[in-house]
Amino acid sequence: MNIVITGATRGIGAGLAAHYTRAGHSVVGTGRSAGADVTLDVTQPSDHSALAQRLADVPVDLLVCNAGVYLDRGETLETGYAADVWAQTFAANVTGVFLTVQTLLPHLRRAARPKIAIISSQMASHTRAPGGSYIYRSSKAAVLNLGRNLASDLAGEVAVGIYHPGWVQTDMGGASAAITVDQSVAGLVDRFEALSFDTSGCFETWDGQAHPY
């Protein structure tokens, strides 16, 4: 398979890239740092154009939209959540996903049974609303909605799945998180494999549970 993974220089993205590379697949991992196969700031249209040029006519079997930020951790309702943090977060977590899909759609359409996997979060669900992290929660809810609508528009053409990767021991999740990167990656790989036109639009956890929207 030809696989593109955004945000692949650390955490879950790096774990997925390493797994698929070991399995013999062709992987293009993007990121903002020098360690990426392709430098891609998902908020920058010019970077997306450069990615498309790099791929040329190569079909993409699996696109994993993993890049994202969590900038409002621990902020207070009374004094936090500045407007520029809203803008930066939505630019990366929502617009960035859309631009990536839009850019790579011609490449996905060249594949036999293409798939898009969007990494969201259980924090996107209306069933989990304990307060706080307003910006991150809102952005993940928005990208869940984006994925559901992409599944409708691309029905029978590209399968789209949205996933909660678990509370993972990464820079974002913290050292006290419930599962390791390897556990999350193993579960997500199984989810991506199971994704089909029949299940397109699903919102699932890393370990295969359907998650309420």
Side-chain angles (χ1 to χ4, degrees):
M1 288 196 302
N2 296 319
I3 301 169
V4 176
I5 303 170
T6 66
T9 56
R10 60 180 182 173
I12 296 167
L16 286 167
H19 172 90
Y20 282 121
T21 299
R22 287 194 301 268
H25 300 292
S26 175
V27 179
V28 173
T30 78
R32 291 180 293 180
S33 67
D37 298 321
V38 175
T39 301
L40 175 68
D41 180 339
V42 295
T43 69
Q44 298 300 315
S46 59
D47 282 7
H48 288 281
S49 297
L51 173 61
Q53 291 174 5
R54 160 71 183 273
L55 291 173
D57 294 328
V58 172
V60 173
D61 300 283
L62 173 63
L63 168 61
V64 182
C65 295
N66 169 73
V69 297
Y70 186 176
L71 304 179
D72 62 321
R73 187 194 311 272
E75 296 201 5
T76 63
L77 178 59
E78 292 78 13
T79 61
Y81 307 106
D84 65 325
V85 180
W86 283 93
Q88 292 171 39
T89 301
F90 271 73
N93 294 1
V94 187
T95 309
V97 172
F98 180 81
L99 291 176
T100 304
V101 171
Q102 187 179 55
T103 297
L104 297 187
L105 194 54
H107 301 270
L108 288 158
R109 284 174 166 154
R110 292 189 183 104
R113 295 185 68 84
K115 302 178 182 183
I116 298 169
I118 297 173
I119 304 303
S120 180
S121 168
Q122 65 183 2
M123 294 168 73
S125 175
H126 75 278
T127 65
R128 298 182 63 87
S133 298
Y134 292 103
I135 302 174
Y136 183 76
R137 291 180 190 279
S138 297
S139 71
K140 289 301 183 180
V143 84
L144 169 58
N145 183 276
L146 172 63
R148 294 277 289 168
N149 280 281
L150 284 170
S152 294
D153 277 341
L154 298 174
E157 186 178 11
V158 181
V160 182
I162 307 101
Y163 302 95
H164 165 56
W167 183 25
V168 188
Q169 295 164 12
T170 61
D171 291 343
M172 186 179 290
S176 62
I179 63 172
T180 65
V181 169
D182 286 345
Q183 288 174 303
S184 177
V185 165
L188 289 171
V189 167
D190 287 344
R191 304 287 74 70
F192 303 164
E193 176 66 23
L195 177 63
S196 68
F197 293 145
D198 290 338
T199 61
S200 190
C202 63
F203 181 31
E204 296 178 343
T205 65
W206 66 280
D207 55 354
Q209 305 300 309
H211 202 294
Y213 297 103

